[in-house]
Amino acid sequence: MLWLLFLTLLLLGSSIAGTPAPDPENELVGIVGGHSAPQGKWPWQVSLRIYVYHWASWTHICGGSLIHPQWVLTAAHCISRKDADPSAYRIHAGNVYLYGGKALLNVSRVIVHPKYVTAFLGYDLALLQLSKAVDNTAYIRPVRLPSASLDITPEHQCWVTGWGAIGMHQSLPPPYRLQQVNVQVVENEVCNQHYHKASGHVSDDSTLIQPDMLCAGSEGQDSCYGDSGGPLVCRVSGSWSLVGIVSWGYGCALRDIPGVYTRVTTYVPWITKQIGTCL
Ligand SMILES: *[C@@H]1O[C@H](CO)[C@@H](O)[C@H](O)[C@H]1NC(C)=O
């Protein structure tokens, strides 16, 4: 399991902080390979903020998705501790520009999945309850959760969005506009083989890609550092459904190394239970 050290969580600070020098080998454009998102196209996308004294500002660490007027779904690894203090977080919603000037929303409750240990073992999800429900506007609207039985295939039209790095050593430049990229879902078995190959443990039949994970992305089209917690949405019978949460990967956008997401369908019953009991 030593090679796990080479895997990367896709939250900000795990890699790009302090390594801003662009690497010509990685001159990739996009979220990686994406484009600027139109205002209002992904109205559930939020930015999770923590206060950084050094910059005296609420700083982006992860993405997230509004799944209810008062709830945000993100990755557990974006929240450092299970007993995290809700007042340590803020949510920015309703703007494609990361520091678009809108008031930040307060968080009143943090629920990390109780079985979460590390993203590489799964259970990488957390819920944040907002102090006050947000009103739907053209730019702020929750995304649908899929039905727990939905089978996601490579034929689905899926997109991932975020303000993360646009290359392995290249953070998103100002004015920090939300990026979107179309990614293809990769079956777990195939993804597991790719990861075994990347690790050099081809004959090892251990499961690296757990059933509660989902892979998507291809060479040049992927999520990257700073996108963690953000949405992977797919078109399902005419509307967007939240099928994945950006979780981890091996580098970004490398050939035959898809990004790994938390498979939301697995957790729909857990999510609805948490939200239901707090209403
Ligand atoms: C958010 O919480 C802070 C600290 O408790 C408080 O000063 C501020 O007024 C709150 N903001 C809103 C919009 O409720």
Side-chain angles (χ1 to χ4, degrees):
M1 279 295 178
L2 194 64
W3 73 282
L4 279 179
L5 295 174
F6 298 104
L7 300 178
T8 40
L9 295 174
L10 299 178
L11 80 166
L12 217 62
S14 65
S15 171
I16 65 163
T19 58
D23 175 354
E25 300 289 326
N26 286 296
E27 288 288 325
L28 302 167
V29 287
I31 174 173
V32 176
H35 320 274
S36 292
Q39 184 69 278
K41 183 163 187 194
W42 317 106
W44 43 82
Q45 170 86 52
V46 302
S47 154
L48 175 63
R49 307 290 177 84
I50 57 167
Y51 194 79
V52 176
Y53 285 92
H54 181 70
W55 294 317
S57 70
W58 289 92
T59 303
H60 171 84
I61 52 161
C62 274
S65 307
L66 203 60
I67 55 165
H68 174 280
Q70 209 171 352
W71 288 92
V72 166
L73 184 62
T74 188
H77 77 259
C78 294
I79 310 293
S80 43
R81 301 150 45 127
K82 288 223 163 105
D83 60 346
D85 177 2
S87 70
Y89 298 93
R90 294 288 185 278
I91 295 291
H92 177 261
N95 206 306
V96 287
Y97 293 105
L98 187 55
Y99 296 102
K102 278 285 189 114
L104 297 176
L105 307 171
N106 283 351
V107 174
S108 58
R109 191 161 172 214
V110 176
I111 307 174
V112 175
H113 194 285
K115 292 194 177 163
Y116 170 77
V117 179
T118 164
F120 311 121
L121 299 177
Y123 304 101
D124 191 11
L125 74 164
L127 285 162
L128 306 175
Q129 186 173 26
L130 302 174
S131 305
K132 262 175 60 187
V134 290
D135 292 327
N136 278 3
T137 68
Y139 302 145
I140 301 185
R141 187 161 42 83
V143 63
R144 282 174 51 158
L145 291 177
S147 78
S149 60
L150 177 71
D151 184 26
I152 316 291
T153 70
E155 282 69 50
H156 277 101
Q157 274 296 317
C158 304
W159 292 74
V160 59
T161 49
W163 289 280
I166 59 173
M168 251 152 79
H169 304 284
Q170 207 178 354
S171 52
L172 180 67
Y176 311 111
R177 187 169 178 142
L178 183 67
Q179 299 291 302
Q180 61 179 38
V181 67
N182 186 204
V183 284
Q184 190 174 28
V185 169
V186 176
E187 306 275 8
N188 274 35
E189 202 179 311
V190 174
C191 189
N192 199 51
Q193 285 167 7
H194 285 323
Y195 271 88
H196 272 291
K197 224 176 266 173
S199 72
H201 294 185
V202 186
S203 55
D204 176 350
D205 62 359
S206 62
T207 305
L208 300 171
I209 306 301
Q210 303 299 329
D212 77 337
M213 298 174 184
L214 180 150
C215 297
S218 53
E219 185 174 12
Q221 285 172 290
D222 195 6
S223 44
C224 201
Y225 314 116
D227 290 324
S228 268
L232 171 72
V233 293
C234 303
R235 240 357 188 180
V236 179
S237 43
S239 58
W240 295 109
S241 278
L242 181 66
V243 311
I245 304 168
V246 178
S247 181
W248 60 277
Y250 176 82
C252 305
L254 298 174
R255 185 173 188 177
D256 286 341
I257 310 284
V260 184
Y261 296 77
T262 304
R263 189 180 283 270
V264 174
T265 49
T266 310
Y267 293 106
V268 166
W270 182 80
I271 293 166
T272 47
K273 188 169 163 229
Q274 303 308 312
I275 293 182
T277 54
C278 302
L279 284 176

